Protein backbone atom coordinates (compact mmCIF):
# COMPACT_ATOMS: atom_id res chain seq x y z
CA UNK A 1 0.00 0.00 0.00
CA UNK A 2 1.09 3.51 -0.69
CA UNK A 3 0.40 6.56 1.43
CA UNK A 4 -1.62 9.39 -0.11
CA UNK A 5 1.56 11.36 -0.61
CA UNK A 6 3.42 8.44 -2.23
CA UNK A 7 0.46 7.75 -4.49
CA UNK A 8 0.24 11.42 -5.51
CA UNK A 9 3.99 11.45 -6.21
CA UNK A 10 3.72 8.32 -8.40
CA UNK A 11 0.81 9.83 -10.36
CA UNK A 12 2.78 13.01 -10.90
CA UNK A 13 5.83 11.03 -12.00
CA UNK A 14 3.67 8.94 -14.36
CA UNK A 15 2.24 11.98 -16.16
CA UNK A 16 5.57 13.85 -16.22
CA UNK A 17 7.29 10.82 -17.70
CA UNK A 18 4.54 10.43 -20.29
CA UNK A 19 4.91 14.07 -21.30
CA UNK A 20 8.66 13.66 -21.70
CA UNK A 21 8.27 10.40 -23.64
CA UNK A 22 5.72 11.88 -26.06
CA UNK A 23 6.29 15.65 -26.09
CA UNK A 24 3.47 17.01 -28.21
CA UNK A 25 0.42 19.18 -27.85
CA UNK A 26 -2.67 17.00 -27.60
CA UNK A 27 -6.12 18.20 -28.64
CA UNK A 28 -7.77 17.27 -25.31
CA UNK A 29 -9.95 20.25 -24.28
CA UNK A 30 -9.30 22.29 -27.43
CA UNK A 31 -12.14 20.83 -29.50
CA UNK A 32 -13.89 24.21 -29.63
CA UNK A 33 -17.01 22.44 -28.34
CA UNK A 34 -17.72 23.13 -24.69
CA UNK A 35 -17.90 19.97 -22.56
CA UNK A 36 -16.73 17.75 -25.45
CA UNK A 37 -13.22 16.65 -24.48
CA UNK A 38 -10.58 14.02 -25.09
CA UNK A 39 -8.92 12.61 -21.97
CA UNK A 40 -6.26 10.24 -20.78
CA UNK A 41 -7.28 8.20 -17.73
CA UNK A 42 -4.88 6.15 -15.63
CA UNK A 43 -5.47 4.65 -12.21
CA UNK A 44 -4.71 1.52 -10.20
CA UNK A 45 -6.87 -0.67 -12.43
CA UNK A 46 -6.89 0.66 -15.97
CA UNK A 47 -5.67 3.04 -18.63
CA UNK A 48 -8.18 4.64 -21.03
CA UNK A 49 -8.28 7.15 -23.84
CA UNK A 50 -11.68 8.80 -23.82
CA UNK A 51 -13.99 11.20 -25.55
CA UNK A 52 -16.26 12.60 -22.84
CA UNK A 53 -19.48 14.44 -23.56
CA UNK A 54 -20.44 15.97 -20.26
CA UNK A 55 -22.51 19.13 -20.53
CA UNK A 56 -25.17 19.84 -17.93
CA UNK A 57 -27.41 20.59 -20.93
CA UNK A 58 -28.91 17.16 -21.61
CA UNK A 59 -30.19 18.15 -25.05
CA UNK A 60 -26.71 19.25 -26.15
CA UNK A 61 -25.26 16.00 -24.79
CA UNK A 62 -27.78 13.89 -26.69
CA UNK A 63 -27.23 15.80 -29.93
CA UNK A 64 -23.43 15.51 -29.76
CA UNK A 65 -23.54 11.85 -28.75
CA UNK A 66 -25.99 11.18 -31.58
CA UNK A 67 -23.65 12.79 -34.11
CA UNK A 68 -20.76 10.60 -32.99
CA UNK A 69 -23.03 7.53 -33.01
CA UNK A 70 -23.81 8.25 -36.65
CA UNK A 71 -20.08 7.88 -37.29
CA UNK A 72 -19.72 4.74 -35.17
CA UNK A 73 -19.04 2.31 -38.00
CA UNK A 74 -16.43 4.65 -39.52
CA UNK A 75 -14.76 5.13 -36.13
CA UNK A 76 -14.60 1.36 -35.62
CA UNK A 77 -13.56 0.41 -39.15
CA UNK A 78 -11.07 3.19 -39.88
CA UNK A 79 -9.68 4.37 -36.54
CA UNK A 80 -10.32 2.42 -33.33
CA UNK A 81 -11.72 -1.11 -33.76
CA UNK A 82 -11.97 -1.71 -29.99
CA UNK A 83 -13.90 1.48 -29.20
CA UNK A 84 -16.60 1.29 -26.53
CA UNK A 85 -19.68 3.53 -26.56
CA UNK A 86 -21.15 4.07 -23.10
CA UNK A 87 -24.19 6.34 -23.08
CA UNK A 88 -24.54 6.14 -19.28
CA UNK A 89 -21.06 6.33 -17.75
CA UNK A 90 -20.91 7.11 -14.04
CA UNK A 91 -17.89 9.18 -12.98
CA UNK A 92 -16.40 8.87 -9.49
CA UNK A 93 -18.00 12.25 -8.73
CA UNK A 94 -21.46 10.79 -9.32
CA UNK A 95 -21.97 12.68 -12.56
CA UNK A 96 -23.39 10.70 -15.48
CA UNK A 97 -21.84 11.40 -18.87
CA UNK A 98 -21.55 9.90 -22.33
CA UNK A 99 -18.11 8.31 -22.67
CA UNK A 100 -16.62 6.87 -25.85
CA UNK A 101 -13.35 5.17 -25.05
CA UNK A 102 -10.64 2.65 -25.74
CA UNK A 103 -9.24 0.55 -22.91
CA UNK A 104 -5.64 -0.61 -22.65
CA UNK A 105 -5.70 -4.40 -22.72
CA UNK A 106 -2.32 -4.95 -21.11
CA UNK A 107 -1.56 -5.19 -17.42
CA UNK A 108 -1.60 -1.72 -15.89
CA UNK A 109 -1.40 -0.11 -12.48
CA UNK A 110 -0.28 3.48 -12.09
CA UNK A 111 1.59 2.40 -8.94
CA UNK A 112 3.65 -0.16 -10.92
CA UNK A 113 6.32 1.55 -13.00
CA UNK A 114 6.89 -1.68 -14.93
CA UNK A 115 3.45 -1.23 -16.57
CA UNK A 116 3.91 2.38 -17.61
CA UNK A 117 5.68 2.00 -20.96
CA UNK A 118 2.94 -0.14 -22.48
CA UNK A 119 0.32 2.35 -21.37
CA UNK A 120 2.34 5.24 -22.83
CA UNK A 121 2.50 3.54 -26.22
CA UNK A 122 -1.23 2.81 -26.03
CA UNK A 123 -2.01 6.43 -25.07
CA UNK A 124 0.05 7.78 -27.93
CA UNK A 125 -1.51 5.55 -30.59
CA UNK A 126 -5.12 5.65 -29.37
CA UNK A 127 -5.18 9.43 -28.86
CA UNK A 128 -3.57 9.94 -32.25
CA UNK A 129 -6.36 7.88 -33.84
CA UNK A 130 -9.04 9.80 -31.90
CA UNK A 131 -7.53 13.11 -33.02
CA UNK A 132 -7.36 11.96 -36.64
CA UNK A 133 -11.03 10.96 -36.45
CA UNK A 134 -11.99 14.31 -34.92
CA UNK A 135 -9.99 16.26 -37.49
CA UNK A 136 -11.70 14.36 -40.31
CA UNK A 137 -15.24 14.70 -38.90
CA UNK A 138 -15.13 17.85 -36.77
CA UNK A 139 -17.48 19.81 -39.04
CA UNK A 140 -20.03 16.99 -39.06
CA UNK A 141 -19.92 16.65 -35.25
CA UNK A 142 -20.29 20.41 -34.76
CA UNK A 143 -23.46 20.40 -36.85
CA UNK A 144 -25.24 18.90 -33.82
CA UNK A 145 -24.95 22.13 -31.86
CA UNK A 146 -25.70 24.44 -34.75
CA UNK A 147 -28.98 22.82 -35.83
Amino acid sequence: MFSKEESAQLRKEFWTSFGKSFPRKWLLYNTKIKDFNFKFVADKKQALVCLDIESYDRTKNELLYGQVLELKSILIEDYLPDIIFDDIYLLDTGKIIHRIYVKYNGKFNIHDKNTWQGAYLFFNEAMHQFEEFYEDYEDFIKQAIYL
Side-chain angles (χ1 to χ4, degrees), residues 109-140:
N109 181 332
I110 199 163
H111 291 160
D112 182 354
K113 291 181 181 184
N114 294 323
T115 65
W116 289 6
Q117 190 60 37
Y120 292 162
L121 294 170
F122 162 76
F123 279 167
N124 184 57
E125 181 57 29
M127 186 59 82
H128 175 74
Q129 290 300 312
F130 250 139
E131 289 180 336
E132 290 278 316
F133 164 75
Y134 186 70
E135 183 180 302
D136 292 344
Y137 293 97
E138 177 180 5
D139 292 340
F140 178 81

Side-chain angles (χ1 to χ4, degrees), residues 1-2 7 25 32 55 57 59 62 65 68 73 79 94 99:
M1 265 329 254
F2 293 93
S7 182
K25 180 123 171 91
K32 299 185 179 62
S55 175
D57 180 341
T59 302
E62 295 305 320
Y65 189 67
V68 179
S73 62
Y79 300 92
R99 176 168 273 182

Side-chain angles (χ1 to χ4, degrees), residues 81-121:
D82 298 325
I83 195 95
I84 299 165
F85 284 74
D86 196 338
D87 64 333
I88 302 174
Y89 190 93
L90 181 64
L91 296 175
D92 292 339
T93 62
K95 184 178 181 182
I96 295 173
I97 66 168
H98 296 303
R99 176 168 273 182
I100 302 162
Y101 64 99
V102 184
K103 185 174 183 177
Y104 176 55
N105 290 324
K107 181 182 175 201
F108 178 76
N109 181 332
I110 199 163
H111 291 160
D112 182 354
K113 291 181 181 184
N114 294 323
T115 65
W116 289 6
Q117 190 60 37
Y120 292 162
L121 294 170

